Amino acid sequence: KFTNAIADSNQIYDVTIAEGLLIYNQKELSSLFDKKIFIKIDKHTFYKRKSKDLRWGEIEDWYKEHIWLSYLKYSKLNSLGTDFMLLNGASNVDYKKVEHYLGLVDLITN
């Protein structure tokens, strides 16, 4: 369903943004993206941020560990191909570089 939703969105809109832990691990889904951004994060930063994320209430430690282990298992950079932007999740993001990589500067000015 997710793959179909992305494919449908690509037919309708100039820009489709999708995110998720497993997004680059299915070739059919990954092939739908013109641009890819991968955010690499260390365990300490992940746990610190996940502990502050209360959108769905407090997350149990066992579940945080499950998410972390899934990130380690499924976040393989070789599944991205060669054209992707790598961001450090523990550092501030240079949004101008991201906009440039995504081609948003040209899209906004045209």
Side-chain angles (χ1 to χ4, degrees):
K1 289 181 181 181
F2 190 62
T3 301
N4 289 338
I6 299 301
D8 291 346
S9 182
N10 285 346
Q11 295 295 318
I12 299 168
Y13 302 104
D14 292 332
V15 176
T16 300
I17 299 173
E19 64 87 21
L21 181 62
L22 304 172
I23 204 162
Y24 299 129
N25 286 282
Q26 297 175 0
K27 289 187 186 230
E28 181 183 358
L29 178 59
S30 186
S31 70
L32 296 174
F33 303 115
D34 296 329
K35 301 288 184 174
K36 300 173 187 173
I37 298 174
F38 185 87
I39 302 171
K40 191 169 184 161
I41 194 166
D42 61 86
K43 188 173 184 176
H44 174 74
T45 303
F46 167 78
Y47 268 84
K48 183 177 174 182
R49 289 187 183 159
K50 199 45 94 175
S51 295
K52 291 180 182 179
D53 181 359
L54 301 174
R55 289 176 288 177
W56 298 282
E58 191 168 338
I59 299 173
E60 299 287 336
D61 287 340
W62 68 265
Y63 192 64
K64 290 177 202 170
E65 185 67 12
H66 169 72
I67 297 169
W68 176 253
L69 292 175
S70 296
Y71 169 79
L72 293 178
K73 181 177 180 179
Y74 295 109
S75 62
K76 306 298 182 205
L77 292 178
N78 60 355
S79 65
L80 292 169
T82 58
D83 183 22
F84 67 94
M85 177 179 233
L86 181 62
L87 297 177
N88 180 347
S91 299
N92 291 330
V93 174
D94 182 341
Y95 290 105
K96 292 291 183 194
K97 285 184 181 180
V98 173
E99 290 173 356
H100 180 62
Y101 171 73
L102 294 175
L104 294 177
V105 174
D106 296 334
L107 187 66
I108 293 168
T109 59
N110 289 334

